[in-house]
PDB file of all heavy atoms in Angstrom:
ATOM      1  N   ARG A 909      23.433  -1.346  14.152  1.00  0.00           N
ATOM      2  CA  ARG A 909      24.568  -1.088  13.268  1.00  0.00           C
ATOM      3  C   ARG A 909      24.349   0.254  12.569  1.00  0.00           C
ATOM      4  O   ARG A 909      23.258   0.709  12.375  1.00  0.00           O
ATOM      5  CB  ARG A 909      24.736  -2.236  12.285  1.00  0.00           C
ATOM      6  CG  ARG A 909      23.471  -2.643  11.596  1.00  0.00           C
ATOM      7  CD  ARG A 909      23.628  -3.818  10.674  1.00  0.00           C
ATOM      8  NE  ARG A 909      22.391  -4.441  10.303  1.00  0.00           N
ATOM      9  CZ  ARG A 909      21.515  -3.944   9.513  1.00  0.00           C
ATOM     10  NH1 ARG A 909      21.703  -2.843   8.847  1.00  0.00           N
ATOM     11  NH2 ARG A 909      20.333  -4.597   9.257  1.00  0.00           N
ATOM     12  N   GLY A 910      25.484   0.856  12.140  1.00  0.00           N
ATOM     13  CA  GLY A 910      25.446   2.068  11.403  1.00  0.00           C
ATOM     14  C   GLY A 910      26.684   2.215  10.551  1.00  0.00           C
ATOM     15  O   GLY A 910      27.744   1.600  10.824  1.00  0.00           O
ATOM     16  N   ASN A 911      26.560   3.004   9.486  1.00  0.00           N
ATOM     17  CA  ASN A 911      27.629   3.147   8.552  1.00  0.00           C
ATOM     18  C   ASN A 911      27.521   4.563   7.858  1.00  0.00           C
ATOM     19  O   ASN A 911      26.434   4.980   7.531  1.00  0.00           O
ATOM     20  CB  ASN A 911      27.535   1.984   7.480  1.00  0.00           C
ATOM     21  CG  ASN A 911      28.596   2.174   6.339  1.00  0.00           C
ATOM     22  OD1 ASN A 911      29.717   1.897   6.533  1.00  0.00           O
ATOM     23  ND2 ASN A 911      28.105   2.624   5.229  1.00  0.00           N
ATOM     24  N   TRP A 912      28.659   5.159   7.631  1.00  0.00           N
ATOM     25  CA  TRP A 912      28.732   6.448   6.884  1.00  0.00           C
ATOM     26  C   TRP A 912      29.896   6.318   5.898  1.00  0.00           C
ATOM     27  O   TRP A 912      31.007   5.831   6.226  1.00  0.00           O
ATOM     28  CB  TRP A 912      28.981   7.601   7.892  1.00  0.00           C
ATOM     29  CG  TRP A 912      29.151   8.885   7.167  1.00  0.00           C
ATOM     30  CD1 TRP A 912      28.206   9.841   6.903  1.00  0.00           C
ATOM     31  CD2 TRP A 912      30.415   9.454   6.739  1.00  0.00           C
ATOM     32  NE1 TRP A 912      28.706  10.933   6.290  1.00  0.00           N
ATOM     33  CE2 TRP A 912      30.079  10.757   6.147  1.00  0.00           C
ATOM     34  CE3 TRP A 912      31.679   9.004   6.713  1.00  0.00           C
ATOM     35  CZ2 TRP A 912      31.099  11.537   5.592  1.00  0.00           C
ATOM     36  CZ3 TRP A 912      32.696   9.867   6.184  1.00  0.00           C
ATOM     37  CH2 TRP A 912      32.364  11.109   5.559  1.00  0.00           C
ATOM     38  N   SER A 913      29.643   6.858   4.712  1.00  0.00           N
ATOM     39  CA  SER A 913      30.633   6.765   3.687  1.00  0.00           C
ATOM     40  C   SER A 913      30.458   7.882   2.624  1.00  0.00           C
ATOM     41  O   SER A 913      29.388   8.459   2.486  1.00  0.00           O
ATOM     42  CB  SER A 913      30.688   5.433   3.008  1.00  0.00           C
ATOM     43  OG  SER A 913      29.432   5.291   2.281  1.00  0.00           O
ATOM     44  N   ARG A 914      31.565   8.133   1.935  1.00  0.00           N
ATOM     45  CA  ARG A 914      31.521   8.951   0.768  1.00  0.00           C
ATOM     46  C   ARG A 914      31.965   8.102  -0.437  1.00  0.00           C
ATOM     47  O   ARG A 914      32.751   7.166  -0.284  1.00  0.00           O
ATOM     48  CB  ARG A 914      32.502  10.163   0.906  1.00  0.00           C
ATOM     49  CG  ARG A 914      31.936  11.192   1.926  1.00  0.00           C
ATOM     50  CD  ARG A 914      32.674  12.494   1.798  1.00  0.00           C
ATOM     51  NE  ARG A 914      32.190  13.529   2.716  1.00  0.00           N
ATOM     52  CZ  ARG A 914      31.151  14.285   2.567  1.00  0.00           C
ATOM     53  NH1 ARG A 914      30.482  14.169   1.358  1.00  0.00           N
ATOM     54  NH2 ARG A 914      30.778  15.195   3.411  1.00  0.00           N
ATOM     55  N   ALA A 915      31.510   8.529  -1.605  1.00  0.00           N
ATOM     56  CA  ALA A 915      31.797   7.682  -2.801  1.00  0.00           C
ATOM     57  C   ALA A 915      31.924   8.617  -4.035  1.00  0.00           C
ATOM     58  O   ALA A 915      31.446   9.781  -3.995  1.00  0.00           O
ATOM     59  CB  ALA A 915      30.674   6.699  -3.027  1.00  0.00           C
ATOM     60  N   ILE A 916      32.497   8.082  -5.031  1.00  0.00           N
ATOM     61  CA  ILE A 916      32.608   8.840  -6.302  1.00  0.00           C
ATOM     62  C   ILE A 916      32.218   7.856  -7.432  1.00  0.00           C
ATOM     63  O   ILE A 916      32.369   6.608  -7.309  1.00  0.00           O
ATOM     64  CB  ILE A 916      33.978   9.468  -6.566  1.00  0.00           C
ATOM     65  CG1 ILE A 916      35.022   8.369  -6.802  1.00  0.00           C
ATOM     66  CG2 ILE A 916      34.404  10.357  -5.483  1.00  0.00           C
ATOM     67  CD1 ILE A 916      36.262   8.852  -7.450  1.00  0.00           C
ATOM     68  N   ARG A 917      31.816   8.395  -8.559  1.00  0.00           N
ATOM     69  CA  ARG A 917      31.707   7.619  -9.760  1.00  0.00           C
ATOM     70  C   ARG A 917      32.412   8.499 -10.879  1.00  0.00           C
ATOM     71  O   ARG A 917      31.959   9.639 -11.200  1.00  0.00           O
ATOM     72  CB  ARG A 917      30.243   7.400 -10.225  1.00  0.00           C
ATOM     73  CG  ARG A 917      30.170   6.355 -11.335  1.00  0.00           C
ATOM     74  CD  ARG A 917      28.850   6.392 -12.042  1.00  0.00           C
ATOM     75  NE  ARG A 917      28.747   7.524 -12.997  1.00  0.00           N
ATOM     76  CZ  ARG A 917      29.208   7.503 -14.265  1.00  0.00           C
ATOM     77  NH1 ARG A 917      29.831   6.473 -14.754  1.00  0.00           N
ATOM     78  NH2 ARG A 917      29.065   8.554 -15.020  1.00  0.00           N
ATOM     79  N   PRO A 918      33.480   7.999 -11.383  1.00  0.00           N
ATOM     80  CA  PRO A 918      34.233   8.815 -12.387  1.00  0.00           C
ATOM     81  C   PRO A 918      33.511   8.841 -13.669  1.00  0.00           C
ATOM     82  O   PRO A 918      32.677   7.995 -14.011  1.00  0.00           O
ATOM     83  CB  PRO A 918      35.594   8.054 -12.519  1.00  0.00           C
ATOM     84  CG  PRO A 918      35.235   6.639 -12.236  1.00  0.00           C
ATOM     85  CD  PRO A 918      34.152   6.672 -11.187  1.00  0.00           C
ATOM     86  N   PRO A 919      33.786   9.870 -14.511  1.00  0.00           N
ATOM     87  CA  PRO A 919      33.279   9.800 -15.858  1.00  0.00           C
ATOM     88  C   PRO A 919      33.782   8.678 -16.687  1.00  0.00           C
ATOM     89  O   PRO A 919      34.891   8.203 -16.454  1.00  0.00           O
ATOM     90  CB  PRO A 919      33.793  11.169 -16.471  1.00  0.00           C
ATOM     91  CG  PRO A 919      34.964  11.574 -15.600  1.00  0.00           C
ATOM     92  CD  PRO A 919      34.683  11.053 -14.240  1.00  0.00           C
ATOM     93  N   THR A 920      32.938   8.139 -17.573  1.00  0.00           N
ATOM     94  CA  THR A 920      33.378   7.098 -18.419  1.00  0.00           C
ATOM     95  C   THR A 920      34.405   7.643 -19.429  1.00  0.00           C
ATOM     96  O   THR A 920      34.497   8.857 -19.634  1.00  0.00           O
ATOM     97  CB  THR A 920      32.202   6.476 -19.126  1.00  0.00           C
ATOM     98  OG1 THR A 920      31.670   7.377 -20.078  1.00  0.00           O
ATOM     99  CG2 THR A 920      31.119   5.948 -18.154  1.00  0.00           C
ATOM    100  N   LEU A 921      35.104   6.749 -20.080  1.00  0.00           N
ATOM    101  CA  LEU A 921      36.013   7.198 -21.122  1.00  0.00           C
ATOM    102  C   LEU A 921      35.264   7.896 -22.241  1.00  0.00           C
ATOM    103  O   LEU A 921      35.766   8.822 -22.835  1.00  0.00           O
ATOM    104  CB  LEU A 921      36.800   5.986 -21.629  1.00  0.00           C
ATOM    105  CG  LEU A 921      37.827   5.352 -20.727  1.00  0.00           C
ATOM    106  CD1 LEU A 921      38.417   4.134 -21.273  1.00  0.00           C
ATOM    107  CD2 LEU A 921      38.933   6.364 -20.359  1.00  0.00           C
ATOM    108  N   SER A 922      34.087   7.458 -22.554  1.00  0.00           N
ATOM    109  CA  SER A 922      33.277   8.084 -23.552  1.00  0.00           C
ATOM    110  C   SER A 922      32.803   9.510 -23.166  1.00  0.00           C
ATOM    111  O   SER A 922      32.710  10.369 -24.005  1.00  0.00           O
ATOM    112  CB  SER A 922      32.062   7.198 -23.912  1.00  0.00           C
ATOM    113  OG  SER A 922      32.410   5.992 -24.444  1.00  0.00           O
ATOM    114  N   ASP A 923      32.504   9.719 -21.891  1.00  0.00           N
ATOM    115  CA  ASP A 923      32.208  11.038 -21.378  1.00  0.00           C
ATOM    116  C   ASP A 923      33.382  12.020 -21.700  1.00  0.00           C
ATOM    117  O   ASP A 923      33.065  13.188 -21.960  1.00  0.00           O
ATOM    118  CB  ASP A 923      31.968  10.958 -19.901  1.00  0.00           C
ATOM    119  CG  ASP A 923      30.679  10.223 -19.499  1.00  0.00           C
ATOM    120  OD1 ASP A 923      29.724  10.226 -20.371  1.00  0.00           O
ATOM    121  OD2 ASP A 923      30.587   9.839 -18.373  1.00  0.00           O
ATOM    122  N   LEU A 924      34.542  11.538 -21.527  1.00  0.00           N
ATOM    123  CA  LEU A 924      35.714  12.466 -21.703  1.00  0.00           C
ATOM    124  C   LEU A 924      36.149  12.632 -23.139  1.00  0.00           C
ATOM    125  O   LEU A 924      36.997  13.511 -23.411  1.00  0.00           O
ATOM    126  CB  LEU A 924      36.860  11.887 -20.857  1.00  0.00           C
ATOM    127  CG  LEU A 924      36.643  11.759 -19.402  1.00  0.00           C
ATOM    128  CD1 LEU A 924      37.745  10.947 -18.763  1.00  0.00           C
ATOM    129  CD2 LEU A 924      36.571  13.098 -18.732  1.00  0.00           C
TER     130      LEU A 924
END
Side-chain angles (χ1 to χ4, degrees):
R909 48 183 162 76
N911 175 76
W912 176 91
S913 65
R914 290 194 179 275
I916 68 165
R917 192 198 77 85
T920 67
L921 291 173
S922 297
D923 290 335
L924 300 168

